[in-house]
Amino acid sequence: MSSSEWPAAEVSILDVSNLAPPEPLERALERAQSLAPGEAFVLVHRREPCLLFPLLEKQGFEYATRMPEEGRVEVLIRRREEPCR
Amino acid sequence: MQVAPQSGLSLDQAPPISIPFRFFLMAPLFGFLAGILLFPESATEAERIIDRWSAQTLASTHLITLGFLGSVMMGAMLQMLPVLAGSRVPRSGLVAGIAFATVFPGITGLASSFLWPVAWILMGSLALLAIGLTAFLTGAGTSLIRAKPDPTTTAMRIALAGLSVTATLGVLLGSNHALGWWIGSRPGWTNTHALWGVATWIGALIAGVSFQVVPMFQLTPPYPRITRWLVPLLFLLVLLWTAARALPPRLLAGLPEAADRILFAVVALAAGYAILTLRLQSRRKRRVFDGPMRFWQVGLVALLMALAALLSPANLAHREWLLGVLLLVGFAVSLVTGMLYRIVPFLVWFHLQSALLMTGQDIPHMRGIIPDNAQRLHLITHSVALLGLTATAFFPPLLVWAAPLFSLSMALLGWNVARATVLYRKHITGTEQPHTAHP
């Protein structure tokens, strides 16, 4: 998934940048698990949530990150259309 | 910290939870033993025990440094290097296996050798420790070499170098003791061994980790950029200090005074770090009870007290005991305990997440894995024990109470870690049905 697929404003945003660990991880996973196939949301954090990525991969999500400015990381998380093999 | 998803932490590559946990469960046991060894049979015996060169103090010191601090370090680094440095430890299972199998008998043998000196047991223990530490240093070192350089990985590299030097000096001193050959002034070389251990191993490692952990977990402002020179400067100063003491005075006039001045610079650096960290923590956004942060505050205040004791011109009767207690039990044990209370819940949670994600089973919140009340109780016990051990320097009979309290505090830590382990196992085994279930 590339950042050229970055959607327009309709996708919901979950901002965890003011939460301390482990809440960003926990909230992000909760939100991700509520996604329908093909549905997406944008996670906003102050650093790259590298611990989230392997959990997302294993659970059948795709993601892309971008850093629009210093101290702000946006991660687009989408549940895959097909079920995970 | 930038970790590309493909190269950094992968669940298939992360070592199984048993690897760090075997170290985390053994560590408090050694701390507990260290306390027990200090129990005096009478108030008058206490005065003898708190002498720096007493068998009990030497044994306890190494049980705390190698047994407690060393074990937690090994467990934590083997598991967390992929996370903090973005670089895994190759063959981590093998490294952990060798380290565990050699270091624990080695530490036990070393400690007993102080109390009941038998040359071949001491030499055998030193050999085991050398093998185990080499295995660990090779694994962790390889991971760090491949890691992207940043203040934390640089500090870790220095810390491992510091550990190597400390351990080498330790083996030399130990074989001195066993075989009766002398490399020079034993107190002098012991001080060098101690400074490398406390400053370049423990201090560098704690500082390096704190650069990431303090802003990340406590939502404090980041450390100022100049702090990336802190650990390299510390390393340089300790090197210079060692050289100033090792070179013969006729080579360069005023070397002994130079060594003292360099030591003063080390003290100033350490004090600067402690004050900076305490200030950052006072500016944190989260105000709820945070066990690990409280342990850090206790540890940093203890460090400042130790530095004051080191520089104090007062004629302190038991200065070395005071320094040892404040630096090891106060600074090192407090901070490492704080880190343990972060790492253990995180690991349990993370491994449960990856194991149970498809099953729909409820995963406990990270905050509940080691409950706040349990951490609070340990914090209070530890702080009172620390006060007691510190006051022992001025009133030795207090050791009768302080030593058992320290053992109790270690037992509480062990209990908390064990409970987290049991919680993990209960959740994991709750799902063990797949291959026996009927289609």
Side-chain angles (χ1 to χ4, degrees):
Chain A
M1 210 170 79
S2 68
S3 47
S4 59
E5 295 173 31
W6 212 266
E10 301 91 48
V11 173
S12 68
I13 291 178
L14 177 64
D15 190 334
V16 293
S17 34
N18 281 326
L19 302 173
E23 286 191 63
L25 257 184
E26 288 182 324
R27 300 253 185 121
L29 279 173
E30 258 172 30
R31 183 75 185 84
Q33 267 143 20
S34 73
L35 291 173
E39 200 190 339
F41 76 99
V42 172
L43 179 74
V44 176
H45 199 19
R46 58 186 189 279
R47 49 192 292 147
E48 205 175 14
C50 25
L51 297 170
L52 185 60
F53 300 144
L55 292 171
L56 288 176
E57 278 166 23
K58 205 162 176 185
Q59 295 191 44
F61 295 95
E62 329 173 284
Y63 58 90
T65 57
R66 68 177 188 181
M67 207 156 140
E69 63 199 41
E70 185 76 34
R72 183 185 170 95
V73 175
E74 294 175 2
V75 187
L76 175 67
I77 298 170
R78 179 187 292 137
R79 190 190 279 277
R80 287 201 193 97
E81 299 274 5
E82 336 75 62
C84 207
R85 269 174 247 99
Chain B
M1 179 179 86
Q2 293 288 313
V3 177
Q6 314 88 283
S7 69
L9 184 66
S10 149
L11 286 172
D12 304 317
Q13 289 178 339
I17 202 172
S18 61
I19 285 184
F21 269 67
R22 72 185 71 163
F23 290 98
F24 295 159
L25 286 165
M26 287 299 287
L29 202 58
F30 281 115
F32 182 80
L33 278 172
I36 290 195
L37 283 182
L38 294 171
F39 285 19
E41 283 174 4
S42 66
T44 42
E45 205 205 351
E47 181 108 32
R48 202 183 45 74
I49 288 178
I50 68 176
D51 175 72
R52 173 193 194 178
W53 303 106
S54 79
Q56 291 96 326
T57 298
L58 287 170
S60 294
T61 301
H62 290 87
L63 284 171
I64 292 174
T65 50
L66 280 170
F68 180 76
L69 300 172
S71 302
V72 175
M73 171 197 69
M74 284 192 276
M77 282 185 90
L78 288 174
Q79 178 85 143
M80 297 303 286
L81 271 172
V83 178
L84 285 174
S87 167
R88 30 177 303 269
V89 175
R91 315 287 305 274
S92 58
L94 181 65
V95 169
I98 295 175
F100 191 81
T102 53
V103 167
F104 291 121
I107 295 168
T108 313
L110 176 66
S112 72
S113 296
F114 287 113
L115 299 159
W116 306 287
V118 177
W120 68 265
I121 293 183
L122 177 54
M123 291 309 292
S125 307
L126 292 174
L128 283 173
L129 284 169
I131 293 170
L133 286 173
T134 305
F136 169 73
L137 286 164
T138 308
T142 310
S143 164
L144 278 170
I145 285 172
R146 297 177 188 162
K148 204 171 100 109
D150 67 33
T152 298
T153 54
T154 303
M156 284 183 172
R157 288 187 186 120
I158 289 173
L160 292 190
L163 175 59
S164 309
V165 171
T166 309
T168 306
L169 286 173
V171 168
L172 280 173
L173 281 164
S175 57
N176 261 215
H177 193 55
L179 304 173
W181 60 284
W182 306 114
I183 53 172
S185 147
R186 272 174 77 199
W189 280 102
T190 306
N191 285 342
T192 307
H193 167 74
L195 184 68
W196 275 87
V198 170
T200 3
W201 171 38
I202 295 171
L205 190 56
I206 286 177
V209 170
S210 74
F211 295 150
Q212 293 216 9
V213 162
V214 169
M216 174 161 46
F217 282 90
Q218 290 152 24
L219 293 181
T220 68
Y223 277 86
R225 282 178 64 85
I226 199 171
T227 52
R228 77 180 127 119
W229 298 113
L230 193 146
V231 176
L233 184 57
L234 176 69
F235 184 59
L236 184 65
L237 286 172
V238 174
L239 262 174
L240 286 173
W241 176 84
T242 310
R245 282 156 52 92
L247 292 174
R250 54 189 156 76
L251 209 65
L252 204 67
L255 268 179
E257 294 81 32
D260 283 339
R261 284 197 208 103
I262 295 170
L263 191 62
F264 181 78
V266 171
V267 166
L269 203 60
Y273 165 75
I275 293 169
L276 174 63
T277 306
L278 283 166
R279 277 201 51 194
L280 280 178
Q281 289 182 329
S282 72
R283 290 161 63 190
R284 70 192 183 281
K285 288 194 196 166
R286 275 170 72 86
R287 292 276 155 183
V288 297
F289 173 77
D290 186 17
M293 199 207 62
R294 294 289 176 205
F295 274 98
W296 275 58
Q297 285 178 324
V298 168
L300 292 167
V301 169
L303 174 62
L304 288 170
M305 286 170 62
L307 297 172
L310 186 61
L311 294 180
S312 160
N315 189 18
L316 297 167
H318 299 286
R319 186 193 298 258
E320 284 116 354
W321 170 265
L322 189 62
L323 283 174
V325 164
L326 287 170
L327 285 171
L328 294 179
V329 176
F331 172 60
V333 168
S334 303
L335 266 84
V336 167
T337 299
M339 297 216 215
L340 209 48
Y341 279 146
R342 291 240 188 267
I343 293 176
V344 167
F346 166 71
L347 286 178
V348 168
W349 181 86
F350 192 77
H351 281 262
L352 283 179
Q353 271 286 349
S354 81
L356 301 179
L357 33 80
M358 295 307 205
T359 65
Q361 235 206 3
D362 266 333
I363 290 165
H365 282 292
M366 227 185 283
R367 273 196 81 89
I369 291 173
I370 299 182
D372 282 346
N373 282 338
Q375 294 188 30
R376 223 182 240 120
L377 179 63
H378 177 207
L379 175 70
I380 293 170
T381 313
H382 171 77
S383 304
V384 175
L386 174 60
L387 272 167
L389 288 170
T390 306
T392 301
F394 304 99
F395 189 60
L398 272 175
L399 189 63
V400 171
W401 294 104
L405 258 174
F406 178 67
S407 285
L408 176 63
S409 136
M410 279 291 173
L412 285 171
L413 175 61
W415 176 248
N416 287 338
V417 175
R419 269 203 331 198
T421 312
V422 166
L423 185 76
Y424 171 81
R425 287 205 60 77
K426 269 171 43 176
H427 275 81
I428 280 288
T429 54
T431 59
E432 238 145 64
Q433 318 134 10
H435 35 268
T436 57
H438 295 297

